[in-house]
Each structure stands twice: as C-alpha cells, then as structure tokens.
Amino acid sequence: MRTSRISGFYNLPMDERLKIVREFAGLTDEEVEVLREGKLPREVADHMIENVIGLYSLPFAIATNFLINGKDYLIPMVIEEPSVVAAASNAAKMARDSGGFEAEATDSIMISQIQVVKVPDLEEAIRRIMAEKDKLIAAANEMDPLLTRLGGGARDLEVRVVGTEAGPMLIVHLLVDTLDAMGANTVNTMAEGLAPTIERLTGGKVYLRIISNLADRRLARAKAKFSKAAIGGEEVVEGIMWAYRFAKHDPYRAATHNKGIMNGIIAVALATGQDTRALEAGAHSYAARSGKYTTLTNYWVDDNGDLWGSIELPLAVGTVGGVVRVHPIAKIALKILGVEKARELAMIMASVGLAQNFAALRALATEGIQAGHMKLHARNIAMSVGASPSEIDEVVERMIRERKINVERAKQILEEMRSGKKA
Ligand code: MEV
C-alpha cells in the first residue's frame, strides 16, 4: 500500500530515503539523479535572473506521515533550519491518529489593482466604471485568451475609495481566476491593459497597475484533531491553548507564532518553486486584516478534551508557469506530491503550516524547543561518526545524558558500544 506513514525514515541513510521516495512517487532514474545532485543547469539559472555567476544549494528533505483529505503525501521541504522537517512529520503523525488533515481551498482568484488619483467627480467615476464593468472584464479576458479558454479569466471588478493626506484615490480591483498559475504576470498585464480605459472613464490619472499580494480571495484552510492521548494528555492540551491565546492577543508573540507556520509553508514553497515573498506578504497582511496583527491558526478543545487546530491564509501558488516550468527540482517536488492543481498544493501547504505550528506550540508549552534542537544536533553528530541506524539512538541518548554533545564523545561512545562496554 502507498503510505506516507514511514517509521524510522530519519534513521535511514540518505540514499535509502531517496529509494523510498522514488518508489512512492515513481521517479525515473534521471529524476533521482537530478535530486541526488541538486542540479540546476547553469544555463537555466542564467536565464532565470540577471548577472548570475553561480548556484546556491540547500537541503531537500521529506516530511512523512501526512494524510490530507484521506490521501497520503510525502512532503518535499527545502530549508536551512534544523528540526522543522522532523517537527512537521511528528505533528502529522499525531494528526494522522485522528484521521489526518481536512483541507479546502477557494478558486484561484487574484486581485489586480489600478490606482487612479485626481478624479474630478468620484461618484460619477464609480458610476461610469460600474456601467462598463462587463466590457472591462471582457477586454481583460481578451488579453489572455488561453486562460479564458481553460476556464479561468477575469471574473469581477470592484471599486474602492481610499483616503490619503493628498486627497482620495479611486482603487479599481480586477478579480481574476488564474487557475493553476500563481498569476502575477497575467493580472499585471490585465491591469496595465485596462488602465487607459479606466483613465478615460474616470477623468483621473492612473499611476500603479499591479497585483495585490493580500490575496484574500484565494484562501486555503486546513483543520485537524490532535487527540489528548496522542499529544501527551490534558496538561499539554492546556499548555497549547495558553500558547495560542498568547499569540491571539499579543502581536509580539503572533509574529513568532506565524513565523513558525511559515517555516513549513515556505519550505514546501521553495521545494516546489513558488514565489516565497508573495506568500509571506499575503500571510502577514492577512494576519493583520482586522487592524490588529494576530495568529493565522486557531485552537479549541472539544467535549472529549481533545485539541483541534485550524488555519486559514491566502496561498497564491502555481503548478504551471514561472519557476515551476524551468526548475527541474521544482517539477520533481510536484511529482513527489503527486499534485497537478494549484488548489491541491495550497491545501497541502495549509496543512503543513498547521502541523508546523502545532508542533512548535507543543514543544514550547512542554519541554521548550532547545531539547529537540539538541537531540537533532546529537543525531547528526552520531551519524557523522558512522553510527548505524541501530546504534544512533543509544549514542544520542548517552551524549544528551552526559551533556557532552560533540564528535569526540560520539566516537568514544561508538567504540565503547562496539567493544561491548556498557554505559
Ligand atoms: C522557530 O523557527 C519557530 C518557532 O519560534 C515558532 C514559534 O515560536 O511558535 C519555534
């Protein structure tokens, strides 16, 4: 059976892990080689941005145990920070015990903004724009016939008045379903294309014509139950609830809380070739939508004393176009996920964000995060001195117990174990 529930994955040598992923995702020899070496061809890099002189690599890892809407996923994550992948896998395991994550996402509606200033008569300008709304939408759709043919395109148009110290501005929002693309290029083209007509209709002057990264019409949501028994009992549930209330009511804490969520989301975004800055901008501006910056997740306790968590945030991600089209590893990451649709990718990323946040709160409300970090550090040292999967746990445990986490001590412990000497 194809399952993402793989115990002891972290103890396996790298190539063994790769073999498991290869079988899970049906990767070809060539894809395995690309992943192994982390290759981005120099000529591809040279066409991606300007002034390229080299490449920059990061670890590509897999979070296990994710069950989302009843489907098993191995989650590709690219990140420099230790503990993130282990924490996500661990949280996913606990959620899995109660059925995994339930996730959903809206259509891929992006907002394109057109800024009009010095409008002589605001009411009249709004009336004229609204009278021409259908024609403006049709004109926008002519700018991307392929998107329209595939079932996407401009859907609606809204007008807002925003006051400034130099007088009011008229802000036109064009709402566009960009389907499986992130959509920045499409909506920017449409905004630029409509601008002259908007200028004529309003009698004002158009300045900016650009996407809004507060993509609040393109939301992803996920929810999961973390049973009291699976997560360590009533006291842990209570600790997590207090951690949640801290973030809900204190922006200083909310920033760190949401940073933890984005640890997971951005790691998947990097692996799959997304615009990570757009995602960060969307998440944090959404977290401040009430006028007060707060948490992107919510937690509550049900009648049985079990903990539930949920997340809602904008996730403007694409499975076609952009980096996905050119970066060989991003393509492989999508293949590992088995995902073709942007909505499905958004649902996965929301689930990973929730898992990451739950794991952080659980650690913070109990032993703190340093213990986990030290364990991982010790595990890396044990592996680096050649401990086998069956030896790692003991080497780690002894180094932590002795509070001597270094290569020298790991070597000694390993020698002692192999020569039959007891701790
Ligand atoms: C560290 O990268 C992330 C955490 O600080 C998140 C949190 O505090 O919730 C552990």
Side-chain angles (χ1 to χ4, degrees), residues 57-375:
S57 303
L58 282 171
F60 183 110
I62 293 288
T64 54
N65 306 327
F66 274 83
L67 185 68
I68 304 169
N69 295 337
K71 183 171 163 188
D72 273 280
Y73 292 95
L74 288 180
I75 313 280
M77 297 177 91
V78 169
I79 187 161
E80 88 298 344
E81 184 175 330
S83 299
V84 169
V85 179
S89 306
N90 202 17
K93 188 166 91 190
M94 293 179 196
R96 196 182 176 95
D97 284 350
S98 346
F101 297 86
E102 253 176 63
E104 58 178 29
T106 62
D107 284 343
S108 309
I109 305 290
M110 295 303 288
I111 301 169
S112 196
Q113 296 194 292
I114 302 171
Q115 176 200 29
V116 201
V117 304
K118 297 185 181 160
V119 177
D121 181 340
L122 283 172
E123 268 178 34
E124 177 60 11
I126 295 171
R127 199 193 56 72
R128 285 201 200 156
I129 291 174
M130 283 313 182
E132 295 289 307
K133 180 169 148 176
D134 289 348
K135 279 192 199 148
L136 288 163
I137 290 174
N141 281 331
E142 272 168 31
M143 294 171 214
D144 197 334
L146 177 63
L147 182 66
T148 321
R149 221 173 26 249
L150 292 172
R155 293 270 183 269
D156 205 355
L157 190 141
E158 295 169 352
V159 184
R160 298 162 54 229
V161 176
V162 177
T164 81
E165 56 284 11
M169 309 176 290
L170 202 73
I171 307 297
V172 179
H173 280 190
L174 183 68
L175 307 187
V176 187
D177 187 346
T178 62
L179 300 177
D180 293 318
M182 186 274 183
N185 275 331
T186 303
V187 304
N188 291 342
T189 304
M190 287 180 176
E192 289 190 7
L194 290 188
T197 315
I198 297 284
E199 222 166 28
R200 186 175 48 73
L201 288 171
T202 59
K205 168 143 185 66
V206 168
Y207 277 108
L208 271 58
R209 301 140 294 164
I210 188 79
I211 188 171
S212 169
N213 289 122
L214 174 51
D216 61 1
R217 309 296 174 95
R218 191 174 188 173
L219 298 174
R221 303 180 187 96
K223 179 168 100 170
K225 176 164 127 181
F226 301 94
S227 82
K228 183 172 58 182
I231 69 176
E234 226 164 85
E235 227 172 284
V236 176
V237 171
E238 195 181 340
I240 294 174
M241 283 307 294
W242 278 110
Y244 158 61
R245 290 178 198 120
F246 187 3
K248 185 173 170 188
H249 297 286
D250 177 8
Y252 285 93
R253 172 57 205 156
T256 322
H257 177 105
N258 291 341
K259 187 273 182 183
I261 293 172
M262 299 314 279
N263 273 347
I265 290 180
I266 294 300
V268 181
L270 274 174
T272 57
Q274 309 301 321
D275 180 341
T276 55
R277 288 81 55 213
L279 294 171
E280 292 278 9
H284 295 292
S285 52
Y286 194 66
R289 68 194 180 284
S290 68
K292 185 182 168 204
Y293 185 84
T294 185
T295 164
L296 290 164
T297 50
N298 283 296
Y299 289 88
W300 64 98
V301 182
D302 69 16
D303 293 344
N304 297 322
D306 292 324
L307 183 76
W308 287 77
S310 70
I311 186 168
E312 178 182 279
L313 80 169
L315 281 173
V317 293
T319 52
V320 297
V323 176
V324 177
R325 189 164 42 88
V326 292
H327 202 304
I329 301 183
K331 278 186 215 157
I332 296 171
L334 287 175
K335 185 165 173 182
I336 293 171
L337 284 171
V339 156
E340 282 175 11
K341 297 277 162 208
R343 287 183 61 221
E344 189 178 350
L345 179 58
M347 291 190 253
I348 293 168
M349 286 166 70
S351 304
V352 174
L354 176 59
Q356 209 69 61
N357 179 239
F358 164 79
L361 298 193
R362 181 168 177 269
L364 289 166
T366 55
E367 58 179 12
I369 55 161
Q370 283 314 98
H373 276 294
M374 291 325 283
K375 207 164 167 188

